[in-house]
């Protein structure tokens, strides 16, 4: 086992904001996303999707459709009856397996579920043919609300499960009863967080082709090419050796594309029969209906407080809205269970009790989206603390400072058994409050001359990063994740990094090249990073859960170190020097302190490949300059703080965001500019979550907003500039001392926003926001509720 | 329906003449019939702006136009910006300022901003945000895009160049 390599401070390539090597081809419009790929003879697929939320399928009449002159293929669930089951053993509570058919057969469980597949020369014609299919439904009661769906008499969505609760657990640590008995104040609130979609600008898409030599190639806009290959093999019974999965340029994922969807199995299966390349590109309406949803939970939060602001204990019931299925592979637990296991957050809370329930409803299933269940879980905890602050006549920041884990307490094991590796929470919070002028703003009157109310809100978060096996375990998901990278040097001394991670906007081809160049001592211009193609990469789980800086960086460090050591051994032989005296810099190998007398890496590479007389004996040193290494890191916990300053119009309930400050501590940074980009992107999505986004299902399970016209995501005028600052406490446990940084704001910014609202309304009373998003109606409700009290 | 209609138009300086179904969207025509895939389609509802191109110099959402409506028009897409593999001033400003992450919305933004800067060579950050508000981006949070456009504006005015 390798010890952590601490890279402190800025080095030649680490900690440097290099421009991204990925960008020129994208800027010129040459990058290929899945819909940009054209194969000879390619035809297109359209799906017939259910128009009812819960119904038995009595009859599907395809006769007119099949009769269409351009119908190249039509498949229903009778012919393709495969599916998956979402289950993993070893969970704390009872997890029932939930089966998902790829094509619905006897019943449909959400609007948008696939009933039939049509193949035609173009999408236009395929949609014409879909319109000719007739379906007779027998409606069943549809559930939109978890508390209704989980009742004993409710109609089960999956008959074999008996009811609609498929996961139940409870956990207790410390003496919760005493904590609540001793409390000076118990805050008790119900929180309901809205449903949203990650909604990347590129929708999903799949191409599948069976080639003349009986090989299957699948292109998918996915975050996980290797696991997708494994799953296609597993679910369709095709040997993995003959499957190639390619994720081309992918236009955003945010976790939504880190799932396996029915379309990714239907097209490969169908491609074998049709014997033409098949393409399906999701349109935006399909996307908002049928790509994994997220964030909707009902949380009952109780916090026991001492009057000086110390948190004595927490009691939580988290009811997750899983939608109609348990989204494959993470399951519906990715919201509620992660929320509960992360419930203590940055605070010293020893007494905690939680219950988790995951419930089926007649909506699209929910899955992982940046911040997973932490977005809702943190919101519930933090807004309860804001309420406590109001009732105790304290500021929220007072409560923070009283309860934050201190820098001398790390490594810190929380009451839910998560091991926080390092941090300086007080320093980060201080920095945020100072940059935002928080304390000063709090002293000023809220009502401005323009009739608007000013508010400032802050928040603090701890983010679990590096989703390898141990992080997954600490969040309640027993799983083994497998990640490798291959580093190889060619005869010309140039380096190829074959990564098991997969960048879909994060610039990993640049950051991993930075790590490789730094480790090997070569010029970064001589490093190329390849990812996304299972034929040319190395097995890895892909990029999601803020894992790739550590796992990508860590596997590169290990593999590049092996190649570096090999180069030095061979050079020592060639130069008749001691290996311990040699170093590599800028592609030259020399005795430390004597850079004038050097031999180039290129020359050593050439000798290694082609000069058996000058290289050492093959039995002493094998003449290969390549290494594949694995890394399954411990969890590393990043942290940070946000502040939001708003003006709120109490007549209209509208919010104008004036300033946003974001402070991040993600350990050693490889490329600070890229980290800033992640911070800012996360802030925008978090503001969307907190202010705008709500997928609005009606009581019959019909989704009312399926376009960007009425499902609102932030535009350039929603937010001001996002001011970023950094604190660095490296992880003592990870290679490079790196931590992840991707999700950050989704655990925090919507809380800072809600706190700004609570602050703006402080003259009105002590009510705090308990829902997301905070649209004008919700703000007016809060104002009117306080007026009534 | 397979009654086709002829359309003649200029794209990035080249003349094209095709026979297509009248219901073919201009975005699909550019991308698939002309194989110019730099223009992307994010919603097909005319809201996200990813498909923005210039039609006779004006920014247009190509998903809201039928290809046959472009008869006789001169269209510019993202592929027209770079010259011989050299990025334009605007494209370079995006590269320098990390104005993109996944890149899917980028072509639409480049075309919108090209037209905007030609009309407004000295915009404030607020002006830029307003001009950008018709282009949705999910990755960047817009800040770095505003930086990129501001930097491009400065480079263009100081160098006297127009693109």
């Amino acid at each position: 086992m390798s010890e952590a390599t601490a890279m402190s401070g800025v080095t030649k390539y680490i900690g440097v904001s290099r421009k991204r090597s990925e960008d020129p081809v994208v800027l010129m419009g040459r990058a290929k996303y899945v819909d940009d790929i054209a194969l000879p003879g390619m035809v297109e697929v359209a799906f017939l999707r259910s128009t009812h939320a819960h119904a038995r399928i009595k009859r599907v009449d395809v006769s007119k459709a099949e009769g269409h002159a351009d119908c190249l293929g039509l498949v229903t669930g009778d012919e393709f009856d495969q599916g998956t089951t979402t289950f993993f053993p070893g969970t704390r509570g009872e997890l029932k397996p939930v089966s998902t058919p790829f094509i619905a057969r006897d019943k449909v469980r959400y609007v948008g579920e696939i009933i039939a597949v049509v193949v035609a020369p173009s999408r236009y014609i395929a949609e014409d043919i879909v319109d000719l299919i007739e379906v007779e439904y027998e409606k069943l009661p549809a559930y939109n609300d978890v508390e209704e769906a989980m009742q004993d008499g409710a109609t089960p969505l999956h008959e074999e499960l008996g009811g609609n609760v498929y996961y139940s657990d409870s956990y207790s640590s410390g003496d919760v009863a005493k904590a609540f008995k001793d409390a000076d104040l118990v805050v008790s609130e119900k929180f309901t967080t809205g449903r949203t979609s990650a909604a990347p600008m590129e929708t999903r898409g799949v191409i599948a082709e069976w080639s003349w030599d009986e090989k299957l190639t699948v292109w998918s806009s996915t975050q996980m090419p290797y696991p997708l290959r494994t799953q296609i093999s597993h679910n369709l019974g095709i040997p993995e050796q003959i499957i190639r999965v390619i994720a081309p340029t992918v236009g955003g994922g945010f976790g939504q594309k880190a799932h396996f969807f029915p379309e990714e199995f239907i097209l490969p299966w169908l491609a074998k029969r049709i014997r033409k390349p098949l393409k399906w590109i999701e349109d935006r309406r399909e996307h908002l209906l049928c790509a994994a949803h997220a964030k909707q939970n009902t949380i009952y939060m109780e916090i026991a407080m001492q009057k000086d602001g110390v948190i004595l204990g927490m009691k939580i019931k988290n009811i997750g809205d899983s939608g109609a299925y348990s989204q494959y592979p993470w399951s519906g637990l990715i919201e509620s269970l992660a929320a509960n296991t992360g419930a203590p957050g940055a605070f010293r809370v020893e007494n905690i009790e939680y219950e988790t329930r995951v419930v089926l409803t007649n909506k699209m299933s929910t899955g992982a989206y940046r911040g997973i269940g932490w977005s809702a879980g943190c919101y519930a905890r933090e807004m309860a603390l804001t309420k406590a602050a109001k009732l105790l006549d304290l500021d929220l920041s007072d409560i923070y400072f009283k309860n934050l884990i201190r820098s001398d307490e790390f490594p810190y094991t929380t009451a839910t058994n998560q091991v926080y590796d390092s941090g300086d929470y007080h320093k980060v919070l201080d920095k945020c409050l100072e940059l935002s002028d928080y304390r000063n703003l709090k002293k000023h009157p809220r009502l401005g001359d323009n009739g608007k109310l000013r508010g400032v809100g802050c928040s603090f978060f701890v983010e679990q990063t590096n989703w390898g096996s141990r992080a997954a375990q600490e969040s309640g998901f027993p799983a083994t994740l497998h990640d490798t990278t291959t580093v190889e040097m060619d005869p010309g001394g140039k380096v190829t990094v074959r990564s098991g991670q997969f960048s879909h906007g994060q610039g990993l081809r640049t950051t991993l090249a930075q790590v490789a160049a730094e480790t090997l001592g070569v010029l970064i211009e001589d490093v190329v990073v390849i990812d996304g193609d299972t034929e040319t990469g190395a097995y890895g789980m892909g990029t999601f859960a803020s894992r790739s800086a550590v796992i990508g960086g860590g596997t590169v460090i290990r593999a590049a170190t092996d190649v570096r050591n090999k180069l030095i051994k061979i050079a020592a032989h060639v130069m008749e020097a001691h290996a311990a005296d040699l170093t590599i810099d800028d592609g030259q190998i020399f005795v430390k302190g004597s850079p004038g007398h050097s031999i180039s890496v290129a020359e050593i590479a050439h000798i290694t490949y082609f000069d058996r007389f000058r290289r050492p004996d093959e039995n002493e040193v094998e003449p290969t300059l390549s290494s594949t290494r694995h890394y399954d890191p411990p969890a590393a916990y990043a942290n940070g703080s946000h502040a939001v300053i708003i003006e709120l119009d109490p007549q209209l309930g509208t919010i104008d965001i004036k300033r946003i400050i974001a402070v991040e501590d993600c350990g050693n940074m490889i490329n600070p500019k890229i980290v800033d980009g992640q911070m800012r992107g996360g802030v925008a999505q978090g503001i969307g979550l907190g202010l705008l986004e709500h997928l609005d299902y009606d009581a019959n399970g019909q989704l009312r907003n399926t376009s960007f016209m009425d499902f609102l995501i932030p535009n350039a005028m929603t937010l001001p500039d996002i001011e970023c600052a950094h604190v660095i406490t490296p992880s003592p446990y990870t290679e490079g001392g790196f931590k992840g940084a991707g999700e950050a704001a989704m655990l925090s910014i919507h809380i800072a926003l809600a706190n700004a609202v609570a602050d703006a309304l402080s003259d009105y009373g002590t009510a705090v926001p308990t829902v997301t998003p905070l649209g004008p109606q919700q703000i007016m409700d809060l104002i009117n509720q306080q007026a009534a009290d | 329906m397979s009654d086709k209609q002829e359309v003649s138009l200029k794209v990035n300086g080249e003349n094209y003449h095709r026979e297509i179904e009248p219901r073919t969207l201009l975005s699909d025509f550019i991308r698939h019939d002309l194989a110019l895939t730099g223009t992307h389609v994010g919603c097909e509802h005319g809201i996200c702006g990813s498909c923005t191109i210039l039609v006779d110099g004006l920014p247009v959402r190509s998903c809201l136009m039928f290809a046959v409506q472009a008869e006789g028009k001169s269209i510019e897409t993202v592929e027209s910006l770079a010259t011989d593999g050299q990025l334009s001033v605007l494209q370079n400003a995006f590269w320098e300022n990390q104005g993109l992450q996944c890149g899917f919305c980028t072509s639409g933004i480049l075309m919108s901003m090209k037209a905007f800067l030609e009309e407004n060579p000295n915009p404030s950050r607020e002006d830029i945000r307003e001009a950008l508000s018709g282009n949705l981006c999910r990755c960047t949070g817009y800040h770095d895009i505003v930086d990129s456009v501001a930097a491009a504006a400065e480079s263009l005015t100081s160098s006297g160049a127009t693109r």
Side-chain angles (χ1 to χ4, degrees):
Chain A
M1 207 207 338
S2 160
E3 326 83 53
T5 316
M7 287 184 181
S8 54
V10 175
T11 65
K12 177 177 295 179
Y13 293 119
I14 303 295
V16 177
S17 294
R18 291 184 66 87
K19 286 192 312 198
R20 302 186 340 162
S21 58
E22 293 88 328
D23 293 353
V25 292
V26 176
L27 288 163
M28 289 193 277
R30 294 183 189 166
K32 295 279 177 217
Y33 299 81
V34 69
D35 193 25
D36 301 337
I37 295 166
L39 299 171
M42 191 164 75
V43 294
E44 291 204 63
V45 165
F47 294 104
L48 171 68
R49 294 183 181 274
S50 168
T51 51
H52 290 281
H54 199 195
R56 289 198 207 288
I57 300 173
K58 306 291 310 255
R59 192 177 58 94
V60 180
D61 184 346
V62 300
S63 51
K64 291 204 192 82
E66 277 178 335
H68 189 290
D70 290 317
C71 181
L72 300 172
L74 196 158
V75 176
T76 64
D78 287 334
E79 199 185 336
F80 181 54
D81 62 0
Q82 274 143 284
T84 63
T85 301
T86 307
F87 177 75
F88 40 88
T91 50
R92 139 170 263 101
E94 196 212 341
L95 175 64
K96 297 181 187 172
V98 180
S99 297
T100 308
F102 293 139
I103 305 178
R105 295 183 67 202
D106 310 309
K107 71 188 289 200
V108 288
R109 297 178 174 92
Y110 67 99
V111 172
E113 189 165 4
I114 296 169
I115 296 175
V117 188
V118 167
V119 183
S122 74
R123 175 67 182 247
Y124 289 71
I125 297 171
E127 286 186 10
D128 291 342
I129 297 170
V130 164
D131 285 344
L132 296 175
I133 303 174
E134 289 164 12
V135 184
E136 202 184 302
Y137 300 93
E138 182 191 291
K139 284 171 71 168
L140 295 165
Y143 294 103
N144 184 356
D145 179 68
V146 283
E147 289 184 292
E148 249 187 77
M150 69 195 290
Q151 301 290 334
D152 276 330
T155 306
L157 269 72
H158 296 255
E159 281 91 348
E160 71 279 11
L161 298 180
N164 293 320
V165 180
Y166 70 86
Y167 180 77
S168 264
D169 78 11
S170 61
Y171 175 84
S172 183
S173 180
D175 191 341
V176 178
K178 181 175 190 302
F180 276 74
K181 187 156 131 332
D182 292 347
D184 294 322
L185 169 72
V186 172
V187 172
S188 180
E189 294 282 346
K190 175 180 178 181
F191 295 90
T192 46
T193 52
R195 174 173 279 255
T196 188
S197 169
M201 292 322 298
E202 185 204 19
T203 57
R204 298 176 297 149
V206 183
I207 297 174
E209 179 183 30
W210 270 91
S211 59
W212 60 271
D213 55 348
E214 297 299 316
K215 295 217 165 57
L216 171 65
T217 306
V218 178
W219 288 258
S220 179
S221 185
T222 179
Q223 297 172 232
M224 308 195 288
Y226 280 91
L228 178 58
R229 186 188 74 183
T230 304
Q231 291 305 316
I232 290 173
S233 172
H234 174 69
N235 283 300
L236 299 182
I238 300 168
E240 200 164 344
Q241 309 146 301
I242 62 163
I243 304 173
R244 176 182 184 183
V245 172
I246 302 171
T249 312
V250 168
F254 312 113
Q256 190 177 56
K257 292 176 181 173
H259 297 96
F260 309 116
F261 294 105
E263 295 89 348
E264 290 172 308
F265 300 101
I266 293 170
L267 265 78
W269 178 83
L270 199 44
K272 187 169 194 188
R273 175 132 71 80
I274 303 282
R275 293 281 169 178
K276 289 187 212 298
L278 287 181
K279 175 192 270 190
W280 168 71
I281 302 299
E282 183 178 47
D283 70 28
R284 185 57 65 180
R285 181 176 172 274
E286 272 180 300
H287 179 83
L288 291 174
L289 261 179
C290 312
H293 289 177
K295 307 300 183 189
Q296 186 165 39
N297 296 286
T298 300
I299 303 176
Y300 291 91
M301 174 70 65
E302 289 185 86
I303 306 193
M305 305 289 299
Q306 228 163 246
K307 61 174 181 277
D308 63 351
V310 168
I311 301 169
L312 295 174
M314 294 170 76
K315 275 199 250 188
I316 308 160
K317 183 167 184 184
N318 188 317
I319 307 172
D321 188 332
S322 182
Y325 292 97
S326 177
Q327 183 59 52
Y328 191 59
W330 313 111
S331 84
L333 276 57
I334 199 72
E335 286 274 346
S336 301
L337 185 57
N340 278 345
T341 52
F347 307 120
R348 199 180 305 102
V349 179
E350 278 154 34
N351 307 304
I352 183 167
E353 191 177 282
Y354 68 68
E355 265 181 65
T356 317
R357 298 282 181 274
V358 181
V359 183
L360 297 161
T361 57
N362 294 105
K363 296 181 272 198
M364 174 57 197
S365 41
T366 50
Y369 167 32
R370 200 173 198 169
I372 54 176
W374 301 318
S375 305
C378 292
Y379 190 75
R381 175 190 67 233
E382 298 293 314
M383 298 323 294
L385 289 176
T386 300
K387 177 92 188 195
K390 283 179 181 272
L391 293 172
L392 295 173
D393 204 26
L394 294 168
D395 190 84
L396 179 64
S397 59
D398 298 329
I399 294 183
Y400 280 171
F401 281 116
K402 277 237 151 58
N403 294 283
L404 284 176
I405 296 160
R406 289 186 317 268
S407 57
D408 59 2
E409 290 180 279
F410 293 102
Y412 181 87
T413 303
T414 72
T416 52
N417 292 313
Q418 295 188 332
V419 183
Y420 297 170
D421 51 341
S422 67
D424 189 341
Y425 298 168
H426 292 76
K427 182 172 174 185
V428 168
L429 180 58
D430 250 331
K431 189 159 197 167
C432 187
L433 297 183
E434 200 193 294
L435 288 170
S436 57
D437 204 22
Y438 179 91
R439 293 180 177 96
N440 195 30
L441 288 172
K442 281 274 178 169
K443 295 188 198 136
H444 290 176
R446 300 298 179 274
L447 184 61
D449 293 333
N450 57 4
K452 306 240 176 96
L453 297 166
R454 278 188 325 236
V456 61
C458 71
S459 59
F460 192 91
F461 70 91
V462 173
E463 177 198 346
Q464 183 190 65
T465 72
N466 319 345
W467 253 55
S469 313
R470 276 170 280 176
Q473 179 81 51
E474 283 182 20
S475 279
F477 294 80
T480 299
L481 287 83
H482 186 86
D483 288 279
T484 63
T485 293
T486 301
V487 172
E488 57 192 44
M489 184 173 280
D490 63 28
K494 305 271 203 268
V495 179
T496 301
V497 175
R498 301 177 186 284
S499 174
Q501 304 305 297
F502 180 63
S503 202
H504 44 282
Q506 297 89 340
L508 284 168
R509 290 187 186 173
T510 301
T511 51
L512 296 184
Q514 290 176 248
V515 176
E518 183 70 37
T519 309
L520 278 162
V522 300
L523 295 167
I524 196 168
E525 291 79 7
D526 291 341
V527 180
V528 160
V529 176
I530 292 179
D531 61 8
D533 183 342
T534 62
E535 196 132 293
T536 55
Y539 201 102
M541 305 305 290
T543 294
F544 49 90
S546 307
R547 65 199 311 269
S548 293
V550 175
I551 293 174
T555 46
V556 169
I557 289 173
R558 291 176 171 194
T561 300
D562 287 349
V563 174
R564 179 196 177 101
N565 291 342
K566 187 74 77 75
L567 281 168
I568 287 194
K569 259 197 189 149
I570 294 168
H573 178 91
V574 170
M575 296 168 88
E576 293 177 351
H578 292 294
D581 295 336
L582 293 177
T583 189
I584 314 180
D585 193 27
D586 277 353
Q588 300 293 325
I589 306 176
F590 51 89
V591 172
K592 289 171 201 163
S594 307
H597 176 59
S598 70
I599 191 165
S600 70
V601 161
E603 193 173 341
I604 296 295
H606 182 85
I607 290 168
T608 306
Y609 276 82
F610 297 125
D611 195 338
R612 60 193 170 95
F613 300 109
R614 289 180 73 195
R615 72 189 181 204
D617 188 281
E618 288 168 30
N619 297 310
E620 273 175 47
V621 183
E622 183 157 313
T624 53
L625 293 173
S626 151
S627 173
T628 300
R629 293 292 300 275
H630 170 267
Y631 186 37
D632 192 359
Y637 288 80
N639 68 88
S641 178
H642 290 91
V644 176
I645 294 158
I646 64 170
E647 255 183 22
L648 186 157
D649 186 329
Q651 305 296 324
L652 298 175
T654 50
I655 291 170
D656 187 13
I657 305 174
K658 308 305 277 185
R659 276 187 81 197
I660 296 178
I661 291 93
V663 181
E664 171 87 31
D665 178 359
C666 55
N668 286 325
M669 293 184 281
I670 302 169
N671 186 320
K673 182 82 179 160
I674 286 182
V675 175
D676 285 350
Q678 290 299 307
M679 288 165 73
R680 292 182 170 130
V683 163
Q685 286 186 308
I687 292 292
L689 187 69
L691 191 66
L692 297 171
E693 294 164 27
H694 182 53
L695 287 165
D696 185 22
Y697 280 93
D698 70 14
N700 295 316
Q702 295 292 330
L703 182 55
R704 289 191 270 226
N705 48 354
T706 56
S707 81
F708 286 138
M709 181 77 81
D710 39 21
F711 172 72
L712 303 178
I713 64 175
N715 68 30
M717 292 181 77
T718 311
L719 311 144
D721 286 349
I722 299 160
E723 303 161 48
C724 294
H726 297 277
V727 170
I728 299 176
T729 50
S731 173
Y733 302 137
T734 63
E735 296 280 7
F738 309 134
K739 298 184 185 186
E743 289 161 280
M746 293 292 275
L747 280 71
S748 176
I749 192 73
H750 56 306
I751 291 162
L753 177 71
N755 280 330
V757 168
D759 183 55
L761 298 178
S762 18
D763 295 335
Y764 286 63
T766 60
V768 298
T770 57
V771 300
T772 59
L774 294 172
Q777 184 64 59
Q778 289 69 40
I779 300 292
M780 294 315 295
D781 287 346
L782 200 52
I783 290 174
N784 294 329
Q785 177 195 337
Q786 307 214 67
D789 288 343
Chain B
M1 266 325 252
S2 52
D3 287 325
K4 299 212 172 166
Q5 194 168 314
E6 287 180 21
V7 64
S8 297
L9 70 171
K10 190 177 264 189
V11 181
N12 299 336
E14 268 188 57
N15 291 310
Y16 292 92
H17 176 88
R18 292 283 188 278
E19 248 185 50
I20 51 168
E21 284 186 45
R23 64 177 173 170
T24 307
L25 297 175
L26 183 56
S27 48
D28 289 335
F29 177 74
I30 290 169
R31 288 175 45 71
H32 299 301
D33 291 79
L34 303 186
L36 291 166
T37 58
T39 303
H40 302 130
V41 175
C43 73
E44 265 180 350
H45 298 134
I47 300 152
C48 77
S50 291
C51 67
T52 305
I53 56 171
L54 300 183
V55 178
D56 292 342
L58 292 176
V60 164
R61 286 143 159 32
S62 59
C63 73
L64 288 184
M65 233 172 117
F66 291 113
V68 293
Q69 290 176 290
E71 170 70 32
K73 305 255 186 244
S74 175
I75 288 175
E76 289 163 82
T77 68
V78 67
E79 287 90 344
S80 69
L81 298 179
T83 323
D84 293 329
Q86 289 288 105
L87 299 180
S88 70
V89 172
L90 179 61
Q91 286 170 312
N92 201 54
F94 272 71
W95 192 19
E96 294 285 337
N97 292 278
Q98 201 187 222
L100 64 153
Q101 288 183 28
C102 84
F104 198 78
C105 70
T106 305
S107 341
I109 288 180
L110 287 171
M111 300 318 289
S112 292
M113 293 298 102
K114 173 173 191 278
F116 169 69
L117 288 176
E118 277 163 14
E119 294 289 310
N120 303 274
N122 278 307
S124 67
R125 286 179 81 85
E126 285 68 42
D127 294 335
I128 295 171
R129 280 187 182 277
E130 192 178 336
L132 261 179
S133 61
N135 290 84
L136 295 177
C137 170
R138 206 50 167 154
C139 293
T140 66
Y142 303 103
H143 182 121
D144 293 333
I145 298 178
V146 177
D147 280 353
S148 301
V149 179
E154 209 187 293
S155 293
L156 288 168
T157 40
S158 66
S159 74
T162 51
R163 65 199 316 279

